[in-house]
Amino acid sequence: MKYDDASWHYGGTFPSNSPQEYGGTHIALFLKWCFTKGWAGDLHLQEEPEDTRKVINGTMPANEFLFKYCDGKLTNEDFNSAGNAFAEKYYGDDGLYLHDYSKQFKDLMYIAPESAHDFNKYAAMMDSRLQSRILTKSQTTKPPKPWWRFW
């Protein structure tokens, strides 16, 4: 399953003076945060364990990892079962990830590198969403009151 692809972003309405890697920054940040949670997939843990650790400890930019090992794509192979359970909801079609990211980092979207993003602020946003367990748009809409309720 493919959750996102940087080419979907730099292939559309994208600032002409921004490098294509900026189209994957929001993807790379998500990947890094998931890795820090211990949700890296077996593919990365077996094939590139050293660089996976470097992403986690911040010595390798997640954007570099995303384009070097994932071809700019975020897929189910990138995560273990816990990571995929989270990504399927939060990053899926009904997910709130892009809404949350654009709300928090609107001024940086597509025009700034990963290093311009405050990862602690990003991680706090993600941790808060994970704790809330509200990961999808459908969870944010209140169901209509039953016809018999007056209060």
Side-chain angles (χ1 to χ4, degrees), residues 63-76:
N63 227 11
E64 181 182 331
F65 186 96
L66 178 72
F67 283 91
K68 182 176 182 179
Y69 296 113
C70 309
D71 196 30
K73 297 166 181 60
L74 187 69
T75 71
N76 61 317

Side-chain angles (χ1 to χ4, degrees), residues 40-108:
D42 287 340
L43 172 74
H44 299 305
L45 295 173
Q46 293 170 6
E47 299 292 321
E48 47 274 342
E50 211 171 294
D51 283 348
T52 301
R53 279 191 296 279
K54 287 180 180 179
V55 169
I56 293 167
N57 68 29
T59 57
M60 178 181 201
N63 227 11
E64 181 182 331
F65 186 96
L66 178 72
F67 283 91
K68 182 176 182 179
Y69 296 113
C70 309
D71 196 30
K73 297 166 181 60
L74 187 69
T75 71
N76 61 317
E77 291 182 336
D78 296 318
F79 307 119
N80 62 19
S81 58
N84 278 308
F86 179 77
E88 284 173 16
K89 289 184 179 182
Y90 190 45
Y91 217 116
D93 292 337
D94 190 39
L96 290 168
Y97 176 67
L98 290 176
H99 171 267
D100 289 349
Y101 173 82
S102 62
K103 184 177 174 186
Q104 195 78 1
F105 296 102
K106 181 180 179 180
D107 298 339
L108 300 176

Side-chain angles (χ1 to χ4, degrees), residues 106-119:
K106 181 180 179 180
D107 298 339
L108 300 176
M109 196 168 208
Y110 303 146
I111 62 166
E114 177 186 344
S115 60
H117 293 70
D118 179 344
F119 188 72

Side-chain angles (χ1 to χ4, degrees), residues 98-148:
L98 290 176
H99 171 267
D100 289 349
Y101 173 82
S102 62
K103 184 177 174 186
Q104 195 78 1
F105 296 102
K106 181 180 179 180
D107 298 339
L108 300 176
M109 196 168 208
Y110 303 146
I111 62 166
E114 177 186 344
S115 60
H117 293 70
D118 179 344
F119 188 72
N120 290 330
K121 183 178 177 181
Y122 177 86
M125 173 193 83
M126 296 292 288
D127 290 339
S128 175
R129 183 57 75 186
L130 177 62
Q131 258 186 327
S132 78
R133 294 191 174 134
I134 298 173
L135 306 176
T136 63
K137 295 171 195 156
S138 58
Q139 289 176 297
T140 63
T141 56
K142 292 183 179 179
K145 283 186 179 180
W147 63 268
W148 48 269

